Amino acid sequence: MPDVLAILEQRGGTLKKVSHETLTAARHLADGLNGEVHALLIGAAEGSGDGLGAFGADKVLLAGDEGLRDYQADRYAAIAASAGDYPVVVIAATALGKDLAPRVAARLSGALAADVTEVRYEGGIVVTRPVYAGKAVYTLKVTGSPCVLSVRPNAITPEQSEKAGTTDTMKVEAAEPRAKTVEVKQPEKAALDVAEASVVVSGGRGLKEPENFGLLEDLAGALGAAVGASRAVVDAGWRPHAEQVGQTGKVVSPNLYFAVGISGAIQHLAGIRTAKTIVAINKDPDAPIFKVADYGIVGDLFEVVPKLTEEIRKVREG
Amino acid sequence: MTGPVRPAAIQAALPSERVVLQEPPGEERIDLDVVFVGAGPAGLAGAIELARLVRGDNESSGGIGEVSIGVLEKAAALGEHNLSGAVVNPRALRDLFPELADGDFPFGQPVPKESLYLLSQRRAHRLPMPPSMHNKGNYVASICEIVRWLGEKAQELGVDVFPGFPAGALLTDGDRVLGVRTVPSGLDRDGNPTSTHMPAADIVAKVTALSEGTRGMLTEAYREWQRIPAANPQVYALGVKELWELNRPLDRVIHTMGWPLPREAFGGSFMYPLEPNVAALGLVVGLDYPYRDLDVHVLLQRMKLHPLFRPFLEGGELIEWGAKTIPEGGYYAWPERLSGDGVLLLGDAAGFVDVPSLKGIHYAVQSGIFAARAIFQALKADDTSRATLGEYDRLVHGSYIRDDLYRTRNMRLAFKDGFIRGGLKAGLMTLTGGRFPGRKIPMHRDADVQRYAGGSVPLPADDPLVVSKVDAVFKAGNATRDDIPTHLIVGTDVSTDAAEFYAHLCPAGVYEVADGRLVVNPPNCVDCKATDVVGPRWTPREGGAGPAYKRM
Amino acid sequence: MKLAVCVKRVPDSEARIKIGADGSAIDGSGVKFVLNPYDEYAVEEALKLKEAAGTGEVVVISAGPDAAQETIRTALAMGADRGVLLRCETLPLDPLPVAKALAAELRDGSFDLVLFGKMAIDDSSHAVGTMVAELLELPCVSAVAHLSVTDGSGTAEREVEGGVEVVEFALPAVVTADKGLNEPRYPALRGIMMAKKKPLEVKEAGLEAGGLEVVSLSHPPERKAGRIVGEGAEAVPALIEALKNEAKVL
């Protein structure tokens, strides 16, 4: 039976939203293969399987209890590999998925297409995935079986497609993991590194006073972002040098970059051109930053930013 | 109150006490037989020829044995700090690789057609090509590709190439050059070591060949230390260049004169198709212009909008940008001697560039070949003294390098009095094969020329073909870390006028004026050396800092 | 202490990527290739462990074309002792065949620790190191930001959602390195010279084709021109909408 195994993800026992994307991808493939989607959920609370039918799961396999709530690589990989005979396995390419997918592929001796952004069935499984830091895109046909696909988060829009969902409990064998997690510590450094962060909120002279950076710190907090600064404000001593977004085109490549009160006239534009999405907030509609930005709001940042922070918090909590 | 600026009056001196060291080599020491400083065409050709001579010698008994040859390069990878037009004469590469055919060399295409234009703001008037500029038999090329290719050849022959190792000082003993000391890396803005600190290393060699390229610091220091004069001071031009993917094919090599240069500035532009759809385009201006506010980068941006150029660029893509100075003094600016105890001067650093034909690469390669032959003889005789290494001077002076540059010895110098008079004189020189005017035309130092307020034009706003200095520096591949210690030595008493002069001078935006004061952004520097000629002194930074040219 | 580091030759992160004439691979001419940056952390960590142990060997292994010898030499110049090239003209995009070849090479080496970079910057599969560990049935910790090794066991730290995970394991084991694990040393002049003389064995990799077939390699769609979504604080909802559903970054 050409069924598709969708390995879902939970955190603290609750299903993560990205799992809907995984299911949608799995559903497309299962329809092409004329098979079912079986969703595997490890370490989740009872009842977590409810509602997954709405996203296309024919069957939900619940494995393990709170003992497996926290990710343990070896055990999760063993469970996934023994869940059944699946020609296709789909998983979200989250931090967890990036670790788990290759383990499952190796145990199944299967092909792995990692970080795919498109999944479709055209006489066979066809996927697209970015490479060279997004400078190029591969279109690939899956010729091997089994195969494991890890899907980039936010790339697939979840679709509802009602299926009858049944829930089974999967028997899980006790086993000693090869590598054992002994604790999860709180991170030491509070501040994210501007060069590493996937979301950056940067401020310039438009903030008028150093204290006003507090607005950006709030926005950054809501986004889980790093705070950056233009050279002008670093030179003025408002922000530490470590936050400066490069003046000589040092590439800062976040997924999302907010340029607040930065005109973009000098030094800043060059270094942020490879950011995936740039949002500019500036009161001057002719500011050069708007030429580089994907989205812009012309307005008073002292009004826009607090509202933005508020709305982002709502999105994050929802 | 604005007044004229005489750059020499506010320039800091070359820091010779730091650059010429009379101390024994330290503990971090490598011993080589020969070191070439600078992996450009001259240094690499020298290393290749020397390695071949050694190999040939060892094929019979009584051979010289193993000779360790190293080439130091300040860029992180070969080619990254090299920039040229270029249209290359293949003769020197044929001499270096007699077994190869032209098709094997790392050139673009053979020069298709050529045209020379006199530009006015809106028009381009065809001019007949002067004989000195004909490029039949030559090739359009990227010096980066040539250097990478030479680098591979050198390594195949067992030469050690060390990218990322700038030479910051000469090690000397008496009058002898013992080798060089590299620049330490991983220091912060205040000069304190960070976790990636690597201390300087001493390279000790029997012969140090200085192939540093234009305005080489060690070459300058050696000449000053040893008081080696020349008939005329060396003079320089600044070239700013862009590489473009074209909107439509270019079928010829183009040179222009006139607009956008103001009357008292010497120079011109070029556009060379490396391939029919990829062209190098640039503007070259002598640094003895009398204008305080002339900005070569801005002039190039305006030039691109001219009807001669625009149709090729519109809808195309700017691939790279860069800048470099060119030594233009010609024959009369050559140092009186090109060798010393344990040292030789090669290529652009020695001034082997012919301005009228715009050629330097093949002279650099040829000088490398001669250096290798002189070094080889010296090593065989176990005598690397000035007298024996002087064979290099004899080879250079007996060659076409000398013949070509002697014939055009006064050509560029004629233009010091302006374009029209210069043009007339140059015409006469060509007609008489160099015999007019019969004697050397004396030349001023660039830094002694007064600069008067004026000569500025605005950067055209809002045109997709125009690139600002900051974006240009990004397109040069410059990713120098922001907290690098400054490598520029600014003089004292820099007035607002002088600051303005520097700001317009530097194509990379290293200098800015804020509230009437000079602001310096050292990470922007792309090592063109214009600053060293008429502005703050340039010293080498840690390896890998600066531009990363790929196909310039 | 016997250590192995697996490295990959990749295009420099600043390289301009051109698609080759056949539309299925990049045009490598003129492209600057470097040692995969994440692998540098792995090499550095191995060197540090060997130095701390006072004795041992660091072997560098790479699967790739002939030119990958230069990449191995870079690691030798940093201080590794010898290298092995598993030669193959092109690497399949499916990581499993590469993992199998590396596992076969490592299996009988009696290594205490095998290190990888967490991912290669060209394909970003984030897979080969972990796969090798699974094939060899060894403990594996990926994306390690801190590592300490004592007699026969190791402790690694890695960033996870909400904190830093501390993992313990017995040797032999496999770790994949993340940025920040250490500060990789630059090869010193002497190291570069000595690297030429260190042994570098070349073998045929004999890779299987893998289970992925390239249909095409293309450039991503042009970055669309940006737009102003509105004025003032009222424009915020429209912005959020765009970021969520269009740009998909929220």
mmCIF file of all heavy atoms in Angstrom, chain B residues 453-483:
data_model
loop_
_atom_site.group_PDB
_atom_site.id
_atom_site.type_symbol
_atom_site.label_atom_id
_atom_site.label_comp_id
_atom_site.label_asym_id
_atom_site.label_seq_id
_atom_site.Cartn_x
_atom_site.Cartn_y
_atom_site.Cartn_z
ATOM 1 N N ALA B 453 39.332 74.961 -5.732
ATOM 2 C CA ALA B 453 37.919 74.564 -5.607
ATOM 3 C C ALA B 453 37.287 74.540 -6.986
ATOM 4 O O ALA B 453 37.497 75.438 -7.797
ATOM 5 C CB ALA B 453 37.188 75.542 -4.693
ATOM 6 N N GLY B 454 36.501 73.527 -7.234
ATOM 7 C CA GLY B 454 35.865 73.419 -8.552
ATOM 8 C C GLY B 454 36.057 72.037 -9.118
ATOM 9 O O GLY B 454 36.756 71.209 -8.538
ATOM 10 N N GLY B 455 35.431 71.817 -10.265
ATOM 11 C CA GLY B 455 35.565 70.517 -10.924
ATOM 12 C C GLY B 455 34.575 69.499 -10.445
ATOM 13 O O GLY B 455 34.665 68.324 -10.795
ATOM 14 N N SER B 456 33.610 69.940 -9.637
ATOM 15 C CA SER B 456 32.666 68.933 -9.135
ATOM 16 C C SER B 456 31.427 68.883 -10.012
ATOM 17 O O SER B 456 31.010 69.882 -10.575
ATOM 18 C CB SER B 456 32.266 69.229 -7.698
ATOM 19 O OG SER B 456 31.016 69.874 -7.657
ATOM 20 N N VAL B 457 30.896 67.716 -10.134
ATOM 21 C CA VAL B 457 29.617 67.524 -10.828
ATOM 22 C C VAL B 457 28.804 66.602 -9.935
ATOM 23 O O VAL B 457 29.372 65.788 -9.204
ATOM 24 C CB VAL B 457 29.809 66.861 -12.209
ATOM 25 C CG1 VAL B 457 30.441 67.831 -13.178
ATOM 26 C CG2 VAL B 457 30.640 65.607 -12.099
ATOM 27 N N PRO B 458 27.478 66.752 -9.973
ATOM 28 C CA PRO B 458 26.688 65.907 -9.068
ATOM 29 C C PRO B 458 26.559 64.481 -9.613
ATOM 30 O O PRO B 458 26.619 64.260 -10.812
ATOM 31 C CB PRO B 458 25.323 66.596 -9.061
ATOM 32 C CG PRO B 458 25.239 67.334 -10.356
ATOM 33 C CD PRO B 458 26.635 67.667 -10.768
ATOM 34 N N LEU B 459 26.380 63.565 -8.705
ATOM 35 C CA LEU B 459 26.086 62.195 -9.103
ATOM 36 C C LEU B 459 24.664 62.177 -9.627
ATOM 37 O O LEU B 459 23.751 62.624 -8.940
ATOM 38 C CB LEU B 459 26.204 61.267 -7.880
ATOM 39 C CG LEU B 459 26.038 59.775 -8.125
ATOM 40 C CD1 LEU B 459 27.275 59.223 -8.831
ATOM 41 C CD2 LEU B 459 25.850 59.032 -6.796
ATOM 42 N N PRO B 460 24.444 61.721 -10.855
ATOM 43 C CA PRO B 460 23.079 61.730 -11.374
ATOM 44 C C PRO B 460 22.170 60.923 -10.454
ATOM 45 O O PRO B 460 22.501 59.811 -10.055
ATOM 46 C CB PRO B 460 23.208 61.043 -12.744
ATOM 47 C CG PRO B 460 24.648 61.049 -13.061
ATOM 48 C CD PRO B 460 25.402 61.106 -11.774
ATOM 49 N N ALA B 461 21.022 61.522 -10.101
ATOM 50 C CA ALA B 461 20.132 60.834 -9.163
ATOM 51 C C ALA B 461 19.176 59.945 -9.936
ATOM 52 O O ALA B 461 18.850 60.218 -11.075
ATOM 53 C CB ALA B 461 19.355 61.865 -8.363
ATOM 54 N N ASP B 462 18.745 58.886 -9.307
ATOM 55 C CA ASP B 462 17.603 58.166 -9.853
ATOM 56 C C ASP B 462 17.806 57.520 -11.206
ATOM 57 O O ASP B 462 16.866 57.426 -11.976
ATOM 58 C CB ASP B 462 16.423 59.154 -10.026
ATOM 59 C CG ASP B 462 15.381 58.827 -8.970
ATOM 60 O OD1 ASP B 462 15.550 57.800 -8.277
ATOM 61 O OD2 ASP B 462 14.433 59.592 -8.850
ATOM 62 N N ASP B 463 19.001 57.118 -11.533
ATOM 63 C CA ASP B 463 19.184 56.426 -12.805
ATOM 64 C C ASP B 463 19.680 55.024 -12.494
ATOM 65 O O ASP B 463 20.653 54.859 -11.769
ATOM 66 C CB ASP B 463 20.209 57.179 -13.663
ATOM 67 C CG ASP B 463 20.188 56.701 -15.112
ATOM 68 O OD1 ASP B 463 20.281 55.465 -15.332
ATOM 69 O OD2 ASP B 463 20.077 57.551 -15.997
ATOM 70 N N PRO B 464 19.032 54.013 -13.038
ATOM 71 C CA PRO B 464 19.426 52.644 -12.689
ATOM 72 C C PRO B 464 20.847 52.295 -13.098
ATOM 73 O O PRO B 464 21.414 51.352 -12.562
ATOM 74 C CB PRO B 464 18.418 51.767 -13.448
ATOM 75 C CG PRO B 464 17.767 52.664 -14.437
ATOM 76 C CD PRO B 464 17.873 54.046 -13.936
ATOM 77 N N LEU B 465 21.432 53.060 -14.010
ATOM 78 C CA LEU B 465 22.799 52.742 -14.415
ATOM 79 C C LEU B 465 23.830 53.289 -13.437
ATOM 80 O O LEU B 465 24.994 52.937 -13.491
ATOM 81 C CB LEU B 465 23.105 53.324 -15.807
ATOM 82 C CG LEU B 465 22.273 52.785 -16.963
ATOM 83 C CD1 LEU B 465 22.840 53.310 -18.277
ATOM 84 C CD2 LEU B 465 22.274 51.265 -16.985
ATOM 85 N N VAL B 466 23.384 54.180 -12.558
ATOM 86 C CA VAL B 466 24.321 54.857 -11.669
ATOM 87 C C VAL B 466 24.449 54.107 -10.350
ATOM 88 O O VAL B 466 23.465 53.644 -9.799
ATOM 89 C CB VAL B 466 23.821 56.304 -11.404
ATOM 90 C CG1 VAL B 466 24.578 56.929 -10.249
ATOM 91 C CG2 VAL B 466 23.983 57.137 -12.660
ATOM 92 N N VAL B 467 25.666 54.010 -9.862
ATOM 93 C CA VAL B 467 25.869 53.331 -8.587
ATOM 94 C C VAL B 467 26.611 54.269 -7.631
ATOM 95 O O VAL B 467 27.540 54.963 -8.034
ATOM 96 C CB VAL B 467 26.617 51.991 -8.811
ATOM 97 C CG1 VAL B 467 28.032 52.214 -9.321
ATOM 98 C CG2 VAL B 467 26.649 51.157 -7.575
ATOM 99 N N SER B 468 26.159 54.302 -6.388
ATOM 100 C CA SER B 468 26.809 55.158 -5.401
ATOM 101 C C SER B 468 28.117 54.504 -4.969
ATOM 102 O O SER B 468 28.337 53.321 -5.212
ATOM 103 C CB SER B 468 25.916 55.312 -4.174
ATOM 104 O OG SER B 468 25.828 54.058 -3.504
ATOM 105 N N LYS B 469 28.974 55.267 -4.301
ATOM 106 C CA LYS B 469 30.261 54.703 -3.877
ATOM 107 C C LYS B 469 30.059 53.532 -2.925
ATOM 108 O O LYS B 469 30.785 52.539 -2.995
ATOM 109 C CB LYS B 469 31.116 55.793 -3.210
ATOM 110 C CG LYS B 469 31.734 56.747 -4.223
ATOM 111 C CD LYS B 469 32.667 57.742 -3.558
ATOM 112 C CE LYS B 469 33.272 58.672 -4.616
ATOM 113 N NZ LYS B 469 34.182 59.673 -4.024
ATOM 114 N N VAL B 470 29.088 53.655 -2.050
ATOM 115 C CA VAL B 470 28.884 52.573 -1.088
ATOM 116 C C VAL B 470 28.435 51.293 -1.777
ATOM 117 O O VAL B 470 28.927 50.202 -1.488
ATOM 118 C CB VAL B 470 27.853 52.997 -0.031
ATOM 119 C CG1 VAL B 470 27.183 51.794 0.588
ATOM 120 C CG2 VAL B 470 28.536 53.799 1.032
ATOM 121 N N ASP B 471 27.492 51.425 -2.692
ATOM 122 C CA ASP B 471 27.063 50.242 -3.440
ATOM 123 C C ASP B 471 28.201 49.724 -4.301
ATOM 124 O O ASP B 471 28.336 48.523 -4.509
ATOM 125 C CB ASP B 471 25.858 50.582 -4.318
ATOM 126 C CG ASP B 471 24.574 50.648 -3.502
ATOM 127 O OD1 ASP B 471 24.586 50.208 -2.349
ATOM 128 O OD2 ASP B 471 23.578 51.168 -4.030
ATOM 129 N N ALA B 472 29.018 50.645 -4.800
ATOM 130 C CA ALA B 472 30.143 50.235 -5.630
ATOM 131 C C ALA B 472 31.118 49.389 -4.814
ATOM 132 O O ALA B 472 31.604 48.358 -5.283
ATOM 133 C CB ALA B 472 30.861 51.465 -6.179
ATOM 134 N N VAL B 473 31.395 49.823 -3.615
ATOM 135 C CA VAL B 473 32.322 49.089 -2.754
ATOM 136 C C VAL B 473 31.777 47.688 -2.474
ATOM 137 O O VAL B 473 32.525 46.717 -2.417
ATOM 138 C CB VAL B 473 32.556 49.865 -1.439
ATOM 139 C CG1 VAL B 473 33.236 48.995 -0.400
ATOM 140 C CG2 VAL B 473 33.400 51.097 -1.708
ATOM 141 N N PHE B 474 30.475 47.598 -2.338
ATOM 142 C CA PHE B 474 29.859 46.281 -2.154
ATOM 143 C C PHE B 474 30.078 45.418 -3.384
ATOM 144 O O PHE B 474 30.392 44.234 -3.290
ATOM 145 C CB PHE B 474 28.364 46.475 -1.886
ATOM 146 C CG PHE B 474 27.606 45.203 -1.714
ATOM 147 C CD1 PHE B 474 27.804 44.399 -0.609
ATOM 148 C CD2 PHE B 474 26.689 44.786 -2.662
ATOM 149 C CE1 PHE B 474 27.102 43.211 -0.435
ATOM 150 C CE2 PHE B 474 25.981 43.606 -2.497
ATOM 151 C CZ PHE B 474 26.188 42.821 -1.394
ATOM 152 N N LYS B 475 29.952 46.043 -4.565
ATOM 153 C CA LYS B 475 30.156 45.309 -5.816
ATOM 154 C C LYS B 475 31.612 44.964 -6.058
ATOM 155 O O LYS B 475 31.940 44.211 -6.974
ATOM 156 C CB LYS B 475 29.652 46.148 -6.996
ATOM 157 C CG LYS B 475 28.156 46.124 -7.154
ATOM 158 C CD LYS B 475 27.675 44.739 -7.469
ATOM 159 C CE LYS B 475 26.292 44.702 -8.026
ATOM 160 N NZ LYS B 475 25.785 43.347 -8.201
ATOM 161 N N ALA B 476 32.503 45.557 -5.284
ATOM 162 C CA ALA B 476 33.915 45.185 -5.397
ATOM 163 C C ALA B 476 34.188 43.935 -4.578
ATOM 164 O O ALA B 476 35.316 43.458 -4.512
ATOM 165 C CB ALA B 476 34.803 46.337 -4.903
ATOM 166 N N GLY B 477 33.161 43.434 -3.923
ATOM 167 C CA GLY B 477 33.335 42.233 -3.120
ATOM 168 C C GLY B 477 34.005 42.515 -1.791
ATOM 169 O O GLY B 477 34.506 41.622 -1.119
ATOM 170 N N ASN B 478 33.997 43.790 -1.401
ATOM 171 C CA ASN B 478 34.668 44.167 -0.160
ATOM 172 C C ASN B 478 33.832 43.739 1.034
ATOM 173 O O ASN B 478 32.713 44.169 1.205
ATOM 174 C CB ASN B 478 34.879 45.689 -0.143
ATOM 175 C CG ASN B 478 35.743 46.120 1.027
ATOM 176 O OD1 ASN B 478 35.867 45.416 2.025
ATOM 177 N ND2 ASN B 478 36.351 47.291 0.905
ATOM 178 N N ALA B 479 34.379 42.856 1.861
ATOM 179 C CA ALA B 479 33.666 42.441 3.071
ATOM 180 C C ALA B 479 34.593 42.586 4.266
ATOM 181 O O ALA B 479 34.519 41.823 5.218
ATOM 182 C CB ALA B 479 33.203 40.995 2.929
ATOM 183 N N THR B 480 35.457 43.586 4.207
ATOM 184 C CA THR B 480 36.408 43.822 5.301
ATOM 185 C C THR B 480 35.659 44.020 6.607
ATOM 186 O O THR B 480 34.647 44.708 6.646
ATOM 187 C CB THR B 480 37.223 45.092 4.998
ATOM 188 O OG1 THR B 480 37.799 44.974 3.707
ATOM 189 C CG2 THR B 480 38.322 45.297 6.030
ATOM 190 N N ARG B 481 36.145 43.446 7.669
ATOM 191 C CA ARG B 481 35.441 43.584 8.944
ATOM 192 C C ARG B 481 35.474 45.041 9.409
ATOM 193 O O ARG B 481 36.453 45.749 9.246
ATOM 194 C CB ARG B 481 36.023 42.638 9.997
ATOM 195 C CG ARG B 481 37.489 42.850 10.326
ATOM 196 C CD ARG B 481 37.984 41.773 11.285
ATOM 197 N NE ARG B 481 39.417 41.869 11.509
ATOM 198 C CZ ARG B 481 39.962 42.541 12.504
ATOM 199 N NH1 ARG B 481 39.202 43.165 13.381
ATOM 200 N NH2 ARG B 481 41.284 42.588 12.646
ATOM 201 N N ASP B 482 34.373 45.441 10.024
ATOM 202 C CA ASP B 482 34.207 46.844 10.396
ATOM 203 C C ASP B 482 35.172 47.300 11.473
ATOM 204 O O ASP B 482 35.473 48.485 11.578
ATOM 205 C CB ASP B 482 32.772 47.089 10.879
ATOM 206 C CG ASP B 482 31.796 47.071 9.728
ATOM 207 O OD1 ASP B 482 32.084 47.736 8.727
ATOM 208 O OD2 ASP B 482 30.763 46.406 9.841
ATOM 209 N N ASP B 483 35.638 46.388 12.307
ATOM 210 C CA ASP B 483 36.466 46.841 13.429
ATOM 211 C C ASP B 483 37.959 46.659 13.158
ATOM 212 O O ASP B 483 38.762 46.576 14.081
ATOM 213 C CB ASP B 483 36.078 46.107 14.716
ATOM 214 C CG ASP B 483 36.210 44.602 14.577
ATOM 215 O OD1 ASP B 483 36.323 44.114 13.431
ATOM 216 O OD2 ASP B 483 36.199 43.901 15.606
#
